[in-house]
Amino acid sequence: ASRSRDGLLSQNGDRTFTVPGDQRHLNLSALGLQLLADTSYTVKVYASNEKGRSQDTVLLVPQDGDVPAVPSSLNVNVTSPTSVTLSWQPPAETRFRITGYVLFWRALRLENQMYAWGEPDWDSVAVDQSSPVATVEHEISRGLDGRTRYRFGVVTLSTMGFGEAKVVDAYTEEIAPVGRVEDLTVTAAGPTTLQVTWEPLQL
């Protein structure tokens, strides 16, 4: 296993173990390896015989402390019926350099009198962070509908990958009716009375 600390890979700790071909598991700690906390390990497994060896299967195993912390104080400022500005504070503590964030969102709609999330896939956008800031802001102004409940979320990106998500729900603003009223009719209901009828506009 190769050891990685602070985002740097060290080959000095490589160890190799040979096991029977039908064996399916191996407890590294039981073999006397002194594994360290807050450290990632790269595990490589391959099969071999007298003719050669297979391709490597490689897995990066993160230990506690390697996953970026969750951003805090996530707020949604609704700026128009179809746009919002998200703001949040970077994680207070992280062992690795933050490279950016991923924002994601999707709508919650009323269907058959039951609430269900809209499209199966989340919309998302990556936000780069080249230098540390106290508060991060980003505007979302595409693909949003007015008068709709959305769930917004943000995850931290670091040199070691993704962190856990921070989410918040918000409603977009009421949007002005689009189109015009149809089937407008006026009939005389009496000498001094008029009756007005129309087809309601779908809101």
Side-chain angles (χ1 to χ4, degrees):
S2 300
R3 191 171 73 238
S4 173
R5 300 203 71 178
D6 299 324
L8 300 177
L9 185 64
S10 170
Q11 298 291 342
N12 297 331
D14 283 7
R15 296 289 299 274
T16 302
F17 302 94
T18 301
V19 299
D22 59 350
Q23 184 165 326
R24 295 174 178 269
H25 59 84
L26 183 66
N27 189 328
L28 298 179
S29 298
L31 297 174
L33 288 181
Q34 296 181 350
L35 302 180
L36 301 177
D38 296 339
T39 304
S40 291
Y41 290 88
T42 301
V43 178
K44 180 189 301 181
V45 178
Y46 60 86
S48 65
N49 58 20
E50 66 276 4
K51 297 294 186 179
R53 55 179 284 180
S54 69
Q55 293 182 343
D56 297 338
T57 298
V58 181
L59 180 66
L60 176 64
V61 184
Q63 295 289 79
D64 292 342
D66 284 347
V67 177
V70 178
S72 61
S73 303
L74 175 60
N75 293 305
V76 179
N77 180 26
V78 180
T79 54
S80 80
T82 58
S83 64
V84 301
T85 297
L86 271 64
S87 63
W88 64 93
Q89 294 179 358
E93 297 181 4
T94 180
R95 295 181 61 249
F96 302 100
R97 182 174 63 87
I98 294 176
T99 58
Y101 302 89
V102 172
L103 306 181
F104 56 92
W105 65 93
R106 64 177 176 180
L108 183 63
R109 304 183 186 280
L110 183 61
E111 298 177 357
N112 300 324
Q113 303 303 314
M114 295 182 63
Y115 280 106
W117 289 111
E119 297 296 328
D121 296 328
W122 295 82
D123 289 312
S124 62
V125 63
V127 179
D128 293 331
Q129 180 179 321
S130 56
S131 58
V133 293
T135 301
V136 186
E137 290 188 352
H138 187 83
E139 182 184 28
I140 299 175
S141 57
R142 61 176 177 87
L144 298 183
D145 296 326
R147 200 178 60 179
T148 303
R149 180 185 176 190
Y150 283 90
R151 172 156 293 179
F152 299 93
V154 57
V155 297
T156 306
L157 292 176
S158 78
T159 52
M160 289 301 294
F162 291 86
E164 296 184 7
K166 179 77 171 181
V167 298
V168 65
D169 292 351
Y171 284 91
T172 52
E173 292 180 349
E174 185 78 20
I175 192 170
V178 178
R180 62 180 184 178
V181 173
E182 301 290 343
D183 298 331
L184 177 62
T185 62
V186 179
T187 57
T192 58
T193 303
L194 294 177
Q195 180 172 310
V196 182
T197 60
W198 63 90
E199 187 67 24
L201 186 65
Q202 295 296 322
L203 300 178

